[in-house]
């Protein structure tokens, strides 16, 4: 079991506050996105912080678990909070997530395609983005628009 599952057993579907960490992985002016299995949308690799982890450890761990890539030399991209942090999943679980997003162009390893959480991973140019996860749209569009970084929202 993990922290989220433990908390869900205690509070059911009531609102749970989480810290999410992700990485914008760039290569040749493109962004790496994953096609999620739980919803038919694309987003950056990342996930929820486990107790005792640092932001960097969470982002690196989640990215490796989801993509097979070992991200290196991370730089802060932005801190995201506010109304857009609320989400309700199909099973009724409610969450409010604060997002810490990093970026890197340095990584090693073999990019896996299908995993436990994703159908596929692919690099996209800013002008050819697929249907984006609405929970991640803010920081992906900040990347597309080259918003001054790092940002606090």
């Amino acid at each position: 079991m993990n922290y989220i599952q433990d908390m869900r057993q205690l509070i059911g579907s009531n609102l749970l506050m989480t810290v999410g960490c992700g990485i914008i992985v760039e290569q040749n002016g493109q962004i790496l996105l994953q096609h999620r299995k739980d919803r038919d949308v694309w987003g950056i690799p990342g996930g929820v912080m486990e107790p005792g982890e640092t932001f960097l450890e969470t982002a690196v761990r989640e990215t490796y678990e989801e993509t097979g890539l070992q991200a290196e030399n991370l730089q802060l991209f932005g801190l995201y909070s506010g109304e857009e942090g609320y989400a309700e999943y199909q099973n009724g679980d409610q969450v409010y997530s604060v997002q810490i997003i990093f970026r890197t162009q340095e990584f090693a390893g073999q990019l896996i395609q299908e995993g436990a959480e994703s159908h596929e991973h692919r690099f996209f140019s800013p002008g050819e983005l697929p249907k984006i996860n609405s929970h991640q749209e803010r920081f992906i569009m900040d990347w597309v628009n080259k918003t001054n970084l790092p940002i606090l929202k």
Side-chain angles (χ1 to χ4, degrees):
M1 259 221 219
N2 66 28
Y3 175 72
I4 299 297
Q5 292 171 338
D6 291 344
M7 293 304 297
R8 284 292 173 211
Q9 285 190 352
L10 294 172
I11 68 169
S13 292
N14 290 327
L15 183 65
L16 177 64
M17 188 168 171
T18 63
V19 176
C21 300
I23 303 176
I24 293 174
V25 178
E26 300 171 298
Q27 182 177 14
N28 301 322
Q30 297 181 317
I31 187 172
L32 178 65
L33 298 178
Q34 68 177 161
H35 188 191
R36 299 283 307 176
K37 282 187 174 179
D38 53 358
R39 292 178 281 168
D40 188 24
V41 294
W42 292 76
I44 66 168
V48 177
M49 178 182 277
E50 291 287 335
E53 280 186 313
T54 67
F55 300 131
L56 285 170
E57 289 168 343
T58 302
V60 169
R61 174 185 54 79
E62 287 284 348
T63 298
Y64 179 75
E65 289 174 1
E66 295 174 2
T67 69
L69 299 178
Q70 185 66 42
E72 302 168 352
N73 195 23
L74 303 185
Q75 300 170 347
L76 180 63
F77 182 81
L79 307 170
Y80 293 81
S81 58
E83 292 291 323
E84 295 89 345
Y86 287 103
E88 184 170 335
Y89 295 100
Q90 289 179 337
N91 65 0
D93 287 353
Q94 299 172 45
V95 66
Y96 175 76
S97 185
V98 174
Q99 302 287 323
I100 291 84
I101 307 301
F102 299 93
R103 74 188 294 181
T104 190
Q105 295 179 5
E106 298 179 35
F107 53 90
Q110 185 72 26
L111 182 61
I112 60 171
Q113 286 306 316
E114 186 169 358
E117 299 178 27
S118 57
H119 292 293
E120 170 185 11
H121 294 95
R122 191 182 329 159
F123 283 91
F124 290 92
S125 296
E128 63 176 15
L129 295 178
K131 182 180 175 186
I132 300 295
N133 178 344
S134 62
H135 202 59
Q136 295 188 357
E137 187 173 8
R138 292 187 297 165
F139 40 87
I140 292 172
M141 293 313 297
D142 282 344
W143 175 83
V144 167
N145 296 322
K146 296 180 171 52
T147 304
N148 290 338
L149 309 173
I151 56 173
L152 178 61
K153 289 192 174 180

